[in-house]
Amino acid sequence: MGGAVATDFQAIVVGTGFAASFFLHRYLALAPPDARVLVLERGRVNDHRWQVANGRSSDLSSAESFRHSGMAGKSWRFTLGFGGGSNCWWGNAFRLHPNDFRLRSLYGVGRDWPLSYDDLEPYYQAAEEIMAVSGPPGMARVLPRTQPFPQPPHRLSRAETALQQAWPGLFFPVATARARLATSGRSACCANGVCEICPADAKFTILNGLMSPYRDPRITLLLRAEALAVDIGAGRAGGVVYRHEGREMRARSDLVVLGANAIFNAFILQRSGFRDAMLGRCLHEQLAVTAEAFLDGLDHFDGSTSVSGLGYMLYDGNHRRHLAACLIETVNVGQLRAEPGRWRQVLPLRLIIEDLPRPENRVEAADGERPTAVFEGYSPYALRRLKSLRQDLERVLAPLPVERLEIAAEPLATEAHIQGTTVMGDDPADSVVDRDLVHHRVRNLLVLGSGAFPACSPAHPTLTICALSLRAADRVQGADPVAVHARRGGS
Ligand SMILES: Cc1cc2nc3c(=O)[nH]c(=O)nc-3n(C[C@H](O)[C@H](O)[C@H](O)COP(=O)(O)OP(=O)(O)OC[C@H]3O[C@@H](n4cnc5c(N)ncnc54)[C@H](O)[C@@H]3O)c2cc1C
């Protein structure tokens, strides 16, 4: 690929979503005053006002940006444009469970991560502070933490409070970046349930909470600039080839950082000529299904945010040897009952089941212009849990006055997470990047995001994406991880 040559940079970062923005935040805190960083963003800035007025998070169609093949009815969702998925996410900001990182060693299935929960803990904390995450102190019993949540917990509904009393230490108010208390850039969450484009601007987004990197004079932000390929020569990344205003351009840099999400990161590498055995492989996400528990005389919908409770009753344990972990969300928005006086006696649930990544699920670059996401199906491990859900849920909900439990006949087409395709590991034979998100062979190339996840976890991925990006920025600049504590909040 040819084109005009732009000027040289210390680093080129592709994308402006969570992965790229959290990386930039930490990278700039450590970079010299004269550093020059180019950020290439495929979309444009659609600010909060534009999003509310237009009822969508971007002017670009994500559905048209890739092809799908394989399992009928399966889909993948994301937002293209400045801020990426932060514009449309729901703000559920969960840590993974410590045992998610050692699935193979503990339970003999899937893969271990090359790093541990403890390695990530200070970075989880730092990411939660940037997003002002709200959560309860008691959650530390399941997900250990060194500092309290930055914001107090959301209020549970009456039905959820009963569930919490029945399952002490396993059911909690949610951990979320939907503000419990107003911050300088965000209102408090009003539980309207319109979270994809929050009218109150209460959830964390890059636009309302992490614009500092883009105001830094060391950054050049180029919008409508689509990265096409990484320039590779003599085993090193020399820069990025990109398309801007119809022209193909080339920018040179010492470091290349891809933060374009797990579909596009893999596609960009494939177009650049990378042939790693695992590149594009193990595309995966959770299998999710919704349910409703109809209650006798117990009200719901008085929680203070849209997804208000989080249950770990079906999550970790020896069952994971043969049965996938399932995370239970109790949802504080939904359809009321029709019977007079009983409108609120229903508890909507979302059951999120981990999958075991399968190599045959993949991203391909068969069409040079658009990636193809090939999904053949979920693992038997996940499907077994789906099959046992009624029985499992009846047990979990037994302490509540449940009249009737309705579980959706079909799982959701997507949980809106995209994981795998540039898996991290210690062995270049079965992974693409190392634990610092550095490509095994091309050592000045970083591949950020949930593409690196070697195992699924039922927990939502974004907080972990952010923690990994903060850590990668430290590691690439040789910073002592302990220094994260000292710098927290200061940069
Ligand atoms: C409706 C919805 C709700 C969600 N809710 C939650 C939730 O509650 N909790 C949770 O943990 N996760 C949630 N997610 C998932 C979350 O949005 C993603 O995990 C997260 O956005 C991934 O971050 P990222 O930075 O890796 O990628 P993205 O956020 O997808 O950012 C990628 C960026 O790269 C840009 N880009 C892409 N290709 C190129 C290219 N070739 N050149 C230049 N730029 C490019 C994009 O425009 C974008 O800015 C949700 C997703 C959706 C769709």
Side-chain angles (χ1 to χ4, degrees):
M1 291 180 204
V5 178
T7 41
D8 293 2
F9 296 89
Q10 179 174 326
I12 298 175
V13 176
V14 175
T16 56
F18 290 98
S21 301
F22 278 72
F23 176 86
L24 280 166
H25 171 77
R26 181 75 77 211
Y27 185 81
L28 292 171
L30 299 168
D34 59 349
R36 299 185 66 235
V37 179
L38 175 65
V39 179
L40 300 173
E41 168 51 55
R42 178 175 178 164
R44 64 184 184 90
V45 178
N46 296 306
D47 63 18
H48 183 251
R49 186 190 292 255
W50 183 95
Q51 293 183 34
V52 173
N54 289 275
R56 57 199 161 111
S57 53
S58 174
D59 57 317
L60 294 178
S61 158
S62 55
E64 287 170 15
S65 67
F66 74 107
R67 292 173 193 274
H68 168 73
S69 106
M71 192 177 137
K74 177 79 190 109
S75 67
W76 303 93
R77 285 193 67 197
F78 51 89
T79 288
L80 291 173
F82 183 85
S86 78
N87 296 301
C88 66
W89 82 318
W90 268 60
N92 294 313
F94 308 158
R95 295 179 176 204
L96 303 195
H97 189 283
N99 291 348
D100 291 339
F101 294 85
R102 42 192 186 196
L103 208 54
R104 162 81 33 195
S105 354
L106 282 177
Y107 304 123
V109 293
R111 286 176 68 154
D112 284 355
W113 290 57
L115 41 71
S116 69
Y117 181 93
D118 289 345
D119 292 329
L120 268 195
E121 204 286 332
Y123 298 99
Y124 271 141
Q125 191 71 39
E128 285 167 347
E129 293 201 7
I130 292 167
M131 295 194 209
V133 171
S134 143
M139 198 179 268
R141 286 169 68 177
V142 180
L143 309 172
R145 48 188 310 119
T146 46
Q147 304 283 326
F149 277 100
Q151 289 221 348
H154 274 281
R155 188 184 62 241
L156 291 176
S157 74
R158 276 180 233 186
E160 290 168 327
T161 304
L163 206 51
Q164 187 179 41
Q165 281 160 2
W167 293 97
L170 286 173
F171 186 83
F172 309 98
V174 71
T176 178
R178 295 182 297 275
R180 179 71 172 117
L181 307 173
T183 70
S184 57
R186 290 150 59 191
S187 315
C189 176
C190 60
N192 58 27
V194 195
C195 300
E196 269 191 51
I197 299 169
C198 174
D201 213 5
K203 70 175 182 187
F204 169 87
T205 65
I206 301 303
L207 281 164
N208 67 22
L210 196 52
M211 285 302 285
S212 51
Y214 304 103
R215 297 190 184 113
D216 190 305
R218 292 169 293 178
I219 293 271
T220 304
L221 170 63
L222 207 54
L223 298 169
R224 296 281 197 206
E226 181 185 358
L228 302 175
V230 181
D231 226 347
I232 299 292
R236 283 186 66 77
V240 174
V241 181
Y242 62 97
R243 192 186 293 127
H244 182 52
E245 292 173 350
R247 287 178 69 204
E248 215 165 271
M249 310 279 287
R250 189 184 297 265
R252 284 193 298 253
S253 65
D254 300 329
L255 178 71
V256 172
V257 183
L258 299 183
N261 96 22
I263 291 180
F264 295 108
N265 283 347
F267 180 59
I268 291 168
L269 292 177
Q270 287 165 338
R271 285 180 57 137
S272 314
F274 283 76
R275 294 289 174 264
D276 312 65
M278 287 302 290
L279 178 60
R281 301 268 163 195
C282 293
L283 172 69
H284 69 279
E285 66 169 337
Q286 298 79 3
L287 176 61
V289 66
T290 56
E292 281 176 306
F294 292 83
L295 304 170
D296 185 5
L298 183 59
D299 278 348
H300 180 55
F301 298 126
D302 49 341
S304 62
T305 188
S306 57
V307 172
S308 36
L310 206 54
Y312 288 85
M313 301 80 126
L314 304 175
Y315 196 122
D316 191 46
N318 242 331
H319 61 259
R320 286 178 94 176
R321 292 187 172 280
H322 58 95
L323 196 62
C326 173
L327 182 61
I328 303 171
E329 286 180 353
T330 48
V331 183
N332 191 48
V333 288
Q335 195 162 352
L336 300 180
R337 288 178 74 154
E339 302 100 303
R342 304 195 63 193
W343 298 331
R344 288 170 46 201
Q345 295 176 16
V346 58
L347 177 66
L349 301 144
R350 192 173 175 110
L351 298 318
I352 306 166
I353 300 171
E354 73 180 320
D355 197 12
L356 287 183
R358 308 167 73 196
E360 58 269 39
N361 295 330
R362 61 197 187 274
V363 166
E364 281 183 351
D367 162 358
E369 276 299 303
R370 283 192 297 172
T372 303
V374 184
F375 193 78
E376 308 289 1
Y378 295 99
S379 64
Y381 184 72
L383 294 172
R384 268 199 297 279
R385 172 62 88 178
L386 185 64
K387 227 172 159 185
S388 75
L389 258 189
R390 172 164 292 279
Q391 195 185 322
D392 299 335
L393 261 188
E394 281 173 358
R395 183 171 59 84
V396 165
L397 298 174
L400 302 190
V402 177
E403 294 176 336
R404 192 169 87 248
L405 177 63
E406 286 184 5
I407 301 180
E410 294 294 329
L412 298 168
T414 177
E415 181 52 8
H417 305 151
I418 311 166
Q419 302 175 180
T421 75
T422 56
V423 165
M424 66 157 84
D426 289 332
D427 184 354
D430 65 6
S431 57
V432 178
V433 296
D434 68 15
R435 63 185 67 192
D436 300 332
L437 307 184
V438 179
H439 187 270
H440 279 301
R441 198 167 27 84
V442 180
R443 301 301 293 167
N444 65 334
L445 169 65
L446 270 73
V447 189
L448 310 176
S450 45
F453 289 16
C456 182
S457 166
H460 298 230
T462 304
L463 188 73
T464 303
I465 293 173
C466 300
L468 286 171
S469 276
L470 294 174
R471 184 176 179 280
D474 262 5
R475 304 290 292 177
V476 79
Q477 303 199 84
D480 174 2
V482 178
V484 172
H485 289 291
R487 279 200 311 277
R488 199 171 46 230
S491 52

